[in-house]
């Protein structure tokens, strides 16, 4: 992982990772403190800042990823292009670009803010809870993907119709439809009406 001012505090000099801290927020998205990542997701969950990225190709197809089987939360399920949490003090836009590069090996182009959404989604399989104030971003994927296998099990570009069919028969993350629906106005602006989003 590239070392930035935000990530420098999250790895120690001997190369071991410190506990990952998340930014706790109130219902308006104002920072009120921090919590360790796993603790923030344990029931009933603590409201924290997150981001979700939706990248599209030139044909208006959405890039999905299937989360790696080794992930502690929602392993092996399909989800949006990239999602995660800013480090405390890290701007959501910077975190979204950083994490997309870390997971998929690409730098998104035309990345733009697409609003926020607040939700509370328990994950029955793990018992963890997503209490998130989520910053949404849309953009383009215009480079060859180089996924990190520890993060990403598989990728696929899908049309709106293909997504509906896949969603009906395949497990997706608990938060996927909430963030997709919240991002749809910005997605339509990016892809045009003919893409069907």
């Amino acid at each position: 992982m590239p070392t930035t001012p935000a990530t420098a505090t999250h790895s120690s000099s001997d190369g071991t990772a410190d506990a990952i801290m998340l930014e706790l927020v109130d219902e308006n998205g104002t920072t009120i403190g921090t919590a360790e990542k796993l603790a923030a997701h344990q029931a009933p969950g603590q409201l924290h800042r997150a981001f979700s990225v939706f990248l599209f190709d030139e044909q208006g197809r959405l890039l999905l990823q299937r989360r790696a089987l080794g992930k502690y939360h929602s392993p092996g399920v399909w989800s949006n292009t990239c999602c995660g949490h800013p480090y405390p003090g890290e701007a959501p836009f910077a975190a979204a670009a950083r994490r997309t590069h870390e997971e998929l090996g690409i730098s998104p182009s035309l990345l733009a803010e697409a609003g926020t959404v607040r939700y509370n989604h328990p994950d029955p399989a793990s018992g963890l809870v997503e209490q998130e104030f989520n910053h949404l971003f849309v953009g383009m994927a215009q480079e060859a993907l180089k996924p990190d296998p520890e993060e990403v099990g598989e990728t696929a570009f899908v049309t709106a119709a293909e997504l509906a069919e896949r969603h009906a028969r395949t497990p997706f993350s608990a938060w996927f439809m909430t963030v997709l629906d919240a991002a749809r106005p910005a997605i339509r602006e990016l892809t045009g009406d003919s893409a069907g989003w």
Side-chain angles (χ1 to χ4, degrees):
M1 166 171 60
T3 301
T4 67
T7 61
T9 58
H10 300 278
S11 58
S12 61
S13 59
D14 64 4
T16 60
D18 293 336
I20 296 174
M21 303 301 289
L22 305 186
E23 206 168 76
L24 300 180
V25 300
D26 65 16
E27 293 292 336
N28 298 313
T30 303
T31 302
I32 58 171
T34 60
E36 191 276 324
K37 183 177 179 181
L38 185 57
H41 288 88
Q42 290 173 335
Q46 298 176 74
L47 184 60
H48 58 274
R49 195 176 309 285
F51 64 82
S52 290
V53 178
F54 296 86
L55 298 183
F56 295 82
D57 66 9
E58 299 289 348
Q59 291 77 47
R61 298 180 303 169
L62 171 61
L63 173 58
L64 298 177
Q65 70 155 277
R66 187 172 60 79
R67 294 164 62 84
L69 292 174
K71 293 183 80 77
Y72 79 93
H73 193 338
S74 303
V77 301
W78 287 92
S79 198
N80 48 294
T81 307
C82 180
C83 53
H85 309 93
Y87 292 127
E90 183 181 26
F93 184 93
R98 170 183 59 79
R99 198 71 188 126
T100 301
H101 190 269
E102 291 170 0
E103 291 191 6
L104 295 161
I106 62 170
S107 296
S109 54
L110 302 177
L111 192 64
E113 294 182 14
T116 59
V117 62
R118 191 262 195 252
Y119 53 79
N120 175 3
H121 285 305
D123 176 31
S126 67
L128 300 174
V129 178
E130 289 289 4
Q131 282 264 26
E132 293 188 330
F133 188 94
N134 197 306
H135 297 255
L136 308 171
F137 299 93
V138 300
M140 303 292 291
Q142 297 179 305
E143 305 172 40
L145 302 176
K146 298 177 282 296
D148 177 350
E150 292 189 10
E151 299 287 346
V152 180
E154 189 178 350
T155 60
F157 281 96
V158 297
T159 64
E162 289 166 344
L163 173 62
E165 191 272 332
R166 183 183 292 247
H167 190 263
R169 63 176 169 80
T170 308
F172 272 71
S173 63
W175 60 87
F176 176 75
M177 286 308 298
T178 300
V179 293
L180 175 64
D181 287 343
R184 282 186 196 274
I187 290 171
R188 290 189 194 105
E189 190 173 321
L190 178 71
T191 62
D193 291 338
S194 62
W197 295 102

